[in-house]
Amino acid sequence: RVIIALDNTRLQISPREAEVADLRAVEDTAIRILDLLPHTPMAGVGINFRYAEPAGGLLSIFDLADDACIRLEGYDVRSTEITRRLESDDMTLNFKLSQAVDGQIIFDYNYHADVHTAAEVVQKLRDHVVSLQERSLTLYQAVYGRDFAEVHR
C-alpha cells in the first residue's frame, strides 16, 4: 500500500493509490518509523497531494496581465505556474497551480509545518493525512466551483 523512498535528508512515504486505506497506511507507516527513531533530528514535515485535470474552463486562470506583451515580444507562453502560500492555525499550505504542456492543470498541495522532534511530526500526522486530503478537495471545490469526483469520472 505504500512506497518508501529515502535520501540523505528526507524520508518520503507515498501511497500506491489515492484511496483512504492507502493514505491511512502512509500515516501508520510514518508513525511506526518515527516511534523507532525518536531521537532523529527533524526540520519539518510535509503532507503532499497532487491532482491533475483537463484544462477545460479553468484555463483562463493562467491568462495573466502580461501575456499579450510577452507575445508582442515574439515569445509564446508554454507553461505558467501560480504559487501561493496559505497560512492556517496549524500548518502552512504551499499551493501551486501549473499549466502542463499536455493541456492539463496540475494542483499541488504541500501542507508544511516546522517541527524539531519525532513526537511533533507524529502529532502533525496522526489522524490528519485523510483530513488534509479532504481539505484539499474542499478548497478545490470552494475556490474553483468544481466537484472533483465529477471531473474525474
Side-chain angles (χ1 to χ4, degrees):
R1 293 196 169 254
V2 301
I3 299 166
I4 298 174
L6 178 65
D7 66 25
N8 290 336
T9 61
R10 183 174 65 161
L11 171 66
Q12 182 175 327
I13 305 167
S14 305
R16 291 197 182 274
E17 301 290 333
E19 303 296 328
V20 170
D22 289 356
L23 294 173
R24 290 189 203 285
V26 165
E27 185 177 296
D28 293 342
T29 300
I31 290 170
R32 282 196 316 267
I33 291 169
L34 291 164
D35 285 344
L36 294 171
L37 303 169
H39 302 294
T40 302
M42 304 286 168
V45 61
I47 301 168
N48 304 301
F49 302 97
R50 172 177 270 195
Y51 304 101
E53 74 162 70
L58 292 181
L59 199 55
S60 63
I61 292 170
F62 299 101
D63 292 339
L64 302 181
D66 60 358
D67 283 355
C69 293
I70 289 171
R71 283 191 293 280
L72 285 174
E73 292 301 315
Y75 295 96
D76 291 324
V77 177
R78 297 284 183 209
S79 67
T80 301
E81 293 182 354
I82 300 169
T83 303
R84 293 185 169 144
R85 181 180 175 113
L86 309 175
E87 301 286 340
S88 69
D89 294 335
D90 53 348
M91 293 185 107
T92 297
L93 171 56
N94 298 306
F95 180 54
K96 182 170 72 172
L97 295 171
S98 304
Q99 177 187 10
V101 176
D102 66 1
Q104 289 192 323
I105 296 177
I106 309 298
F107 295 79
D108 284 308
Y109 301 80
N110 165 251
Y111 293 91
H112 176 83
D114 294 326
V115 295
H116 304 287
T117 67
E120 288 176 293
V121 176
V122 168
Q123 179 183 358
K124 294 293 182 186
L125 291 176
R126 189 179 308 280
D127 299 324
H128 286 100
V129 175
V130 172
S131 66
L132 288 174
Q133 180 196 39
E134 291 168 357
R135 262 175 101 172
S136 299
L137 298 177
T138 298
L139 179 67
Y140 171 85
Q141 186 168 7
V143 173
Y144 302 104
R146 297 163 72 90
D147 183 302
F148 188 81
E150 286 290 318
V151 171
H152 291 88
R153 282 189 186 195

